[in-house]
Amino acid sequence: MSFKTRAPSRFWPVAFALALPAAACAWQSQPATPRPVIVVQPPSNARFQQTVRENQVRDQLQKNRVEEQLRQGRADAMRRPYAASTVHATRLDQGDQAQQELYRARQQDLLNRYQSAVAPPLVRSGKAPASSRSGD
């Protein structure tokens, strides 16, 4: 074998090994075209309705809180005459506990109704959701 036949066979692996990192570097340095960002703002009417709903919920939660404080004050006043009687105290405690559970349920229901009005319903089936538009 002569030198002329071996030189080209040694040259290609070296040339390929040098060209591969250079091509990768050139490919990475090309600037990517930025994808457009579409910002969709809800109409001002929807934002207004959202603000109104939030205020209504906040007001109702505050009203319920004040009513619960008043109820607790009345319950404490009713306990005073029956402080010595354990039977009456037990019944008053049970009634108070039922009222507190009712208060919590009322608050949770209000929050759940608000959340369902704000958030779209989850569709768990494979079908597309029905159109929300009525015959308008």
Side-chain angles (χ1 to χ4, degrees), residues 23-54:
C25 183
W27 177 73
Q28 288 179 350
S29 67
Q30 292 177 353
T33 56
R35 294 177 22 196
V37 176
I38 300 172
V39 177
V40 178
Q41 287 200 332
S44 61
N45 185 24
R47 284 181 286 182
F48 174 75
Q49 289 176 353
Q50 176 70 21
T51 303
V52 167
R53 266 193 226 115
E54 288 173 4

Side-chain angles (χ1 to χ4, degrees), residues 120-121 129-136:
S131 175
S132 62
R133 294 181 63 182
S134 58
D136 291 330

Side-chain angles (χ1 to χ4, degrees), residues 98-111:
Q99 289 293 324
Q100 287 176 359
E101 289 174 7
L102 181 64
Y103 166 73
R104 282 190 218 105
R106 192 180 321 135
Q107 297 290 78
Q108 189 61 49
D109 178 59
L110 184 63
L111 292 173

Side-chain angles (χ1 to χ4, degrees), residues 59 61 71 81 121:
D59 291 346
L61 289 171
R71 188 204 60 77

Side-chain angles (χ1 to χ4, degrees), residues 56-112:
Q56 287 173 339
V57 168
R58 189 177 305 115
D59 291 346
Q60 187 63 44
L61 289 171
Q62 179 64 28
K63 178 184 171 195
N64 290 351
R65 188 177 307 122
V66 168
E67 287 177 357
E68 177 64 11
Q69 289 171 348
L70 290 172
R71 188 204 60 77
Q72 286 175 351
R74 287 191 308 268
D76 290 342
M78 284 192 325
R79 285 179 203 280
R80 288 185 199 120
Y82 302 106
S85 174
T86 57
V87 173
H88 289 296
T90 302
R91 288 184 181 162
L92 288 171
D93 286 342
Q94 289 172 346
D96 189 44
Q97 183 179 0
Q99 289 293 324
Q100 287 176 359
E101 289 174 7
L102 181 64
Y103 166 73
R104 282 190 218 105
R106 192 180 321 135
Q107 297 290 78
Q108 189 61 49
D109 178 59
L110 184 63
L111 292 173
N112 290 345

